[in-house]
Amino acid sequence: MELRVIGPQQVIELLPMSECIDVVDGAMRSASGGQAVMPLRDKMALPGGGLLGWMPGYMASPDVFGVKLVGVFPENFELGMHSHHGVVVLFETRHGRPFAVVDASEITAIRTAAASALATRLLAREDASVLAIMGYGAQGRQHLESMLCVRDFTDIRVWGRRMDKCRAFAGEFGPRFDVEIQPIEDARTAVQGAHVICTVTASPDPVLLGDWLEPGQHVNAVGTSFPGIRELDTDAVVRSRMYVDLREGAIAQAGEFQMARDEGAIDESHILGEIGEVSLGRVVGRNSPDDITLYKSLGLVVQDLASAYHVYENATRRGVGVAAQF
């Protein structure tokens, strides 16, 4: 059997954001529709710092199983590198043979922002035109692109702890996407009047507070994926209609949910649904223009598997990647 190896630059070329949003939509429908098997992610701390993480899973459409293996080194950001490096390995389900090894760094970067775009498409106000991005790293750039795919934003702000990096972000990506981006020094000012807020920081402490939120806003909380850390405080969670990618995962691993629950402010009923359920029409999203909606993203392995399979199909058609007999 042929095993195709596909690198990061090829992933970028073969997985356009606009296509990935629809791929992720299908994956999240599959997850919420009972067509996937997804054990919770796990990790192993490394003696010298960083960790090894793995996410196994199966999905019925496309009919594949596989695993994402990643090394996570947050300090890489200061060196201009991804914090996550790894591979997605795809197996066929008839005989269990691997047929693709795909770079996971770009898969993760693109599919994470695509999931936020799907949530924004389903939950944000139709007339949303003001975007605030809290964070200026790789996910800040990916979220800028993904948000522009689902709403017509005419006022875009970026906030982060270092203004020089905010200015650099605006200077690089404003011209690239033909938009004007305002670097904002104060976090509260950045989100004031915003219709959509994306938190994509590595901060272990809240960067978005509940008493800053205004009626009609939608929040994509993306930057944290482990218990004990959160980008939103308890009040922000309490004030929001909360949606997640997977209930089981959010209850077990989402710091924003867990810490608000442990403080006695909410219980599991505060999670109104999964984004896949909203997409399937099984759960109501925004009820009124004044609702504050929140999507807590942890990431699902089916997003990786579906995105990697999409890349594999495009690569096979175009003869891209390194093919070897296995």
Side-chain angles (χ1 to χ4, degrees):
M1 184 173 182
E2 183 182 271
L3 177 69
R4 189 171 294 270
V5 180
I6 304 166
Q9 187 57 43
Q10 294 160 332
V11 170
I12 294 172
E13 295 168 359
L14 298 171
L15 188 63
M17 184 63 73
S18 58
E19 293 181 15
C20 191
I21 294 169
D22 292 332
V23 169
V24 167
D25 187 9
M28 296 179 82
R29 285 172 173 245
S30 177
S32 295
Q35 301 299 306
V37 178
M38 294 178 293
L40 293 178
R41 74 183 76 204
D42 208 343
K43 64 184 185 296
M44 177 184 75
L46 301 174
L51 58 86
L52 171 67
W54 57 91
M55 297 170 66
Y58 159 80
M59 61 190 307
S61 180
D63 184 22
V64 298
F65 70 95
V67 62
K68 181 166 78 169
L69 297 167
V70 292
V72 182
F73 288 74
E75 64 273 16
N76 283 354
F77 177 61
E78 295 300 325
L79 302 175
M81 296 188 294
H82 281 301
S83 60
H84 293 58
H85 291 277
V87 292
V88 179
V89 184
L90 298 178
F91 297 78
E92 52 85 15
T93 58
R94 184 174 182 183
H95 302 292
R97 295 173 296 180
F99 62 89
V101 177
V102 186
D103 171 75
S105 298
E106 296 300 338
I107 288 281
T108 302
I110 297 168
R111 65 81 160 154
T112 300
S116 293
L118 173 63
T120 301
R121 188 166 72 189
L122 294 170
L123 298 176
R125 287 168 40 177
E126 290 289 342
D127 63 349
S129 62
V130 184
L131 171 65
I133 299 175
M134 306 184 77
Y136 40 59
Q139 277 304 321
R141 174 251 184 267
Q142 295 289 352
H143 273 71
L144 173 62
E145 180 177 3
S146 74
M147 294 299 111
L148 291 170
C149 288
V150 295
R151 290 293 187 273
D152 183 17
F153 291 105
T154 56
D155 181 348
I156 301 173
R157 304 95 173 258
V158 61
W159 169 86
R161 300 194 187 280
R162 290 181 52 178
M163 274 303 292
D164 60 329
K165 290 188 176 291
C166 289
R167 294 189 185 98
F169 181 97
E172 179 178 359
F173 298 118
R176 182 179 300 187
F177 294 103
D178 194 27
V179 294
E180 182 177 347
I181 303 172
Q182 303 176 59
I184 306 294
E185 190 166 4
D186 176 67
R188 184 169 192 168
T189 302
V191 303
Q192 187 174 19
H195 300 139
V196 175
I197 303 165
C198 300
T199 63
V200 292
T201 74
S203 175
D205 302 311
V207 296
L208 180 62
L209 306 185
D211 63 2
W212 300 353
L213 294 178
E214 303 168 6
Q217 291 182 319
H218 170 69
V219 180
N220 297 305
V222 180
T224 62
S225 56
F226 297 109
I229 56 177
R230 56 180 174 177
E231 292 182 297
L232 278 64
D233 71 355
T234 291
D235 189 40
V237 175
V238 169
R239 294 190 61 199
S240 303
R241 291 175 57 84
M242 187 176 189
Y243 301 84
V244 298
D245 41 25
L246 188 71
R247 279 187 182 84
E248 180 185 8
I251 291 168
Q253 298 180 327
E256 281 87 353
F257 169 80
Q258 290 184 327
M259 296 170 82
R261 178 200 60 196
D262 293 348
E263 291 172 11
I266 61 171
D267 57 25
E268 293 182 10
S269 67
H270 192 69
I271 298 176
L272 298 180
E274 299 170 355
I275 289 299
E277 293 175 318
V278 179
S279 183
L280 287 166
R282 297 177 180 176
V283 169
V284 174
R286 175 175 292 275
N287 272 324
S288 80
D290 288 337
D291 284 340
I292 298 172
T293 54
L294 166 63
Y295 166 56
K296 174 55 194 172
S297 170
L298 288 175
L300 302 180
V301 69
V302 291
Q303 298 169 352
D304 299 298
L305 299 180
S307 297
Y309 189 81
H310 187 78
V311 168
Y312 166 78
E313 283 195 314
N314 284 340
T316 302
R317 279 196 296 267
R318 301 182 194 181
V320 172
V322 178
Q325 293 302 311
F326 185 82

